[in-house]
Amino acid sequence: MDKKEILKEFSSDPDRYYNVKLFQEQGFVRKACSKCGRFFWTLNAGRELCPDDADDTYSFIGEPPTTKRFDYTQAWKQVEEFFVKNHHTSVSRYPVVCRWRDDLFFTIASVVDFQRVMGSKVVFEFPANPLVVPQTCLRFKDLENVGVTGRHFSSFCMIGQHSVPDLGGYWKDECVDLDFRLLTNQFGIKKEEVVFVEDVWAGGGSFGPSLEYFVRGLELGNAVFTEFQGELGEHTTLDQRVIDMGAGLERFAWITMGTPTAYDCCFGPVNQILFEKIGIDSDSEILRKYFTEIAKEIDHFDDLNEVRHLAVKNAGITDDQLNKMITPLEGMYLIADHLRTLIFAITDGALPSNVGGGYNLRMMLRRINGTINRLDLKLNIDELIDAHIDYLKDTYPELDEKREDVKQILKLESARYEESKVHMKKKAEKIRERGVPSVDELITLYESDGITPEYLKEVDAISEIPSSFYSKLSDLHQSEKKKAIAELPLEELPETETLFYKDDPMEFDAKVLKVFDDQVVLDRTSFYARGGGQEPDFGSIAGFNVINVDKHADIIVHQLEGGVPKEGDTVSCKLDETRRANITKNHTSTHIINASSRGVLGSWVWQHSAFKDVDHARLDITHHSSLTDEQVKQIEDTANSMVKQNLSVSIDYYDRGTAEQKYGFRIYQGGVVPVKSVRIVSIEDQDIEACGGTHVKKTGDIELIKITKTKRIQDGVVRIEFVSGPTAFQYVKDQQEESKKQAEEKIAKQTLEKQREENKQKAREQIPILLEKILCDESGELDEITVKNKICFTASEQYDDYFHQNFGKKLVTKDSKAAFCGIFESGPTVRIMVHAGEESGVNSGEVAKEIASILGGSGGGDAKFAQGGGKDTSKKDEAIVKAKSMILG
Ligand SMILES: [Zn+2]
Ligand SMILES: [Zn+2]
């Protein structure tokens, strides 16, 4: 939808769309900006320009228009006090990790808190009406601006003011009146300073007029009146009109403080620590001048670097001042901002990684580390984390609880960054030789090698970071996780009655509603359809085997083998009870393993995905490192202690909003639930999840859980494979047998080893005596060796390859007329080894080849030494006879 067209339409009828009661009562006049033409409302009849174009833009820096001064946390207290006084419910913030939407990794606006996706529709669910919420929002698109522009943050607090007029809330008149009184009465801004600009909002198929409110060029808030749906001209009024007023808390603090940047009044004690470290006084005229220039010019250029150069020029800043003041200051603001964002994200269960939203978090920590190195700062990150949390905990007490987790994760990530530096350095050198990389190349470098452009800049491999780098990277990782569902001819079929959510009979009758190919739809079924990582039930329908069950929207489709019943028939159905029981045990075990992993490892553990089959199951959890044997044992022990306690597993249905308020977003371990009534599976108070699977009634039914394997399958995700119930007992039995077998094998190997050692020792004693006798021309049988004129043959079992090798070699070395041939068994093969002196008349190679071929194998070597063998032991005697005749004649 074209926003410009909608704005044109709405602005052509201002009385209908924009002229609220307040404007009439106070005597606001409507003006068109003489520069850009936009319409705005003001009490100052002489005003000709809109806030973006006027001369007073950012003139609050150094000269705030309020008599009162409020920093960040104080500003929220003012806002909250005002709205509560005016009959709003103050709601706690929602997590910044957006667990209730599968198209967003992070919460990007306060209204997102209350949006739930149902099919292709977005519906609103408000826990109170009207309400106000201090919603922390994460946005990574403008990362390059953070620390530089004075007003861009990677996370900010959106003051969300929401009202549904048709459910007892208010509409435009009261909204604008409240916002005006918030600015003037509560914050003490003069009425004449407030300017409202006409605008529109459109998205997700709906749209409506909006009024942005500005004070001295700073947009403080935007009241959106979502009123219509459809295409402009053919639009209709929404069933549920909604007020979505979003205002930046950081800006409210800034306008009252008038500091050079918004950062100066929003990070509390963190700034003081950082200012001391770099030795800069933020309260300086140069900074005020510089940042006012930046603020005024930022929207007029595409390239941030150009804005910086211009501001440097206009503020009269020298190169020395730029390097000694501005650059370290920008780095300092960046560190404070990024650290605050990481604290919120990790508190809410996110981990820096290479996947999903974790990308942005890792990128931010690397930017922090890169900046610390570039500016050669000696910072204690733990101290900064403490300072942030101490400052924010009054508004956000949940940060205090996760303080140590945040420290642990950041320490680990920073150590990894340090480790990877050697590798990064080599890469950077190559880049420097090759010349300036493109934005795509920079993205590849980050994605495959974890090398940030900040690092490349730090080591002078590049001179500037391209301004499109972060927006491009962030676009790449906004991807959705939706899968296609096969189209089936299911139109007009009613929803299948799901017996597994009711009495769950193992045998039942049902009517065949539809048959196509080998697929059957019944009016009701107890066959669990594949879903939530749980494999389907098998069994029989009308005597035919059920080999698969899938769910398509509300209809369950059974795939049969060997034939299908007729449409309209009533058929008897039977489930494979053992299969169902085993899958069920594995499913409840998944919840148990999830809870015990979280308990053993830390609060960042969430279910990433899960799979439950009849004889095995796996749970992928979010965790930063591979598991140690000790951790695996602890998780297994904790899980089995939950089994031993025989805890009850209860299933209750709640209205979605109630479930979220009662249990929090932890319930969404298996992802988003697209239904209004949520099925909550609780293992007493140990684990509470929204889940559609089948579960045991008591944890004792599982009897035993065994973890069979764990593996770090990707950065930030660890896979735990396990078995439960009868499979676990079988596993233990197999393990015991395996270790028994291994012990036996070990003993057999040791015995063999000992035997060899003994043979060797015996050979060492025997060889010199035998040699002496043979070299003295003794013939006949000597220790089972047939000797004839120094030509020797043996097939005695008392000699092994050590003897043959050493005896034969020594013999022919001492006398060139001598030869030795031995046949012996070695494992499954019969082997021959021949040594022959040059004047012996024996050709070792020929003998070995011939004998090996009798034995069904092959042999090789030369006239002096050859060996071979074969596996046909039945030919051993034949081989002996042949060898003997070839050697001894
Ligand atoms: Zn204008
Ligand atoms: Zn589940």
Side-chain angles (χ1 to χ4, degrees), residues 354-392:
N354 267 344
V355 293
Y359 252 106
N360 298 303
L361 305 183
R362 172 163 290 169
M363 169 65 86
M364 285 206 294
L365 186 59
R366 299 225 153 163
R367 276 165 60 93
I368 291 177
N369 289 326
T371 306
I372 290 174
N373 289 342
R374 183 163 50 86
L375 299 175
D376 198 19
L377 298 173
K378 301 274 170 293
L379 293 182
N380 179 346
I381 296 289
D382 282 359
E383 184 192 7
L384 295 179
I385 293 171
D386 282 332
H388 262 311
I389 294 179
D390 289 341
Y391 181 60
L392 294 167

Side-chain angles (χ1 to χ4, degrees), residues 538-576:
F538 291 168
S540 67
I541 292 177
F544 304 112
N545 281 341
V546 177
I547 56 166
N548 195 12
V549 188
D550 269 316
K551 200 170 174 187
H552 299 258
D554 289 333
I555 298 162
I556 292 176
V557 180
H558 311 77
Q559 188 184 3
L560 306 189
E561 185 183 58
V564 285
K566 278 208 292 290
E567 279 180 18
D569 281 0
T570 295
V571 288
S572 50
C573 312
K574 197 171 180 320
L575 267 73
D576 177 342

Side-chain angles (χ1 to χ4, degrees), residues 585-594 610-613 615-620 636 702 704-710 719-724 727-728 731:
K585 283 173 189 169
N586 278 339
H587 196 144
T588 309
S589 301
T590 310
H591 289 217
I592 292 176
I593 292 274
N594 194 10
F611 179 77
K612 308 102 187 180
D613 204 344
D615 55 357
H616 68 286
R618 62 172 182 261
L619 173 70
D620 295 346
E636 190 180 275
I702 295 168
L704 182 68
I705 297 174
K706 293 301 284 182
I707 294 174
T708 56
K709 194 179 165 191
T710 70
R719 170 163 296 172
I720 302 175
E721 293 179 20
F722 61 92
V723 287
S724 73
T727 328
Y731 175 80

Side-chain angles (χ1 to χ4, degrees), residues 32-40 48-54:
C33 173
S34 61
K35 202 166 171 188
C36 70
R38 287 203 299 168
F39 292 100
F40 60 90
E48 296 300 327
L49 295 161
C50 77
D52 282 344
D53 295 315

Side-chain angles (χ1 to χ4, degrees), residues 532 534 587-588 590-591 607 610 612 670 681 689-695:
Q534 178 173 338
H587 196 144
T588 309
T590 310
H591 289 217
Q607 174 175 315
K612 308 102 187 180
V681 177
E689 298 182 24
C691 174
T694 59
H695 288 278

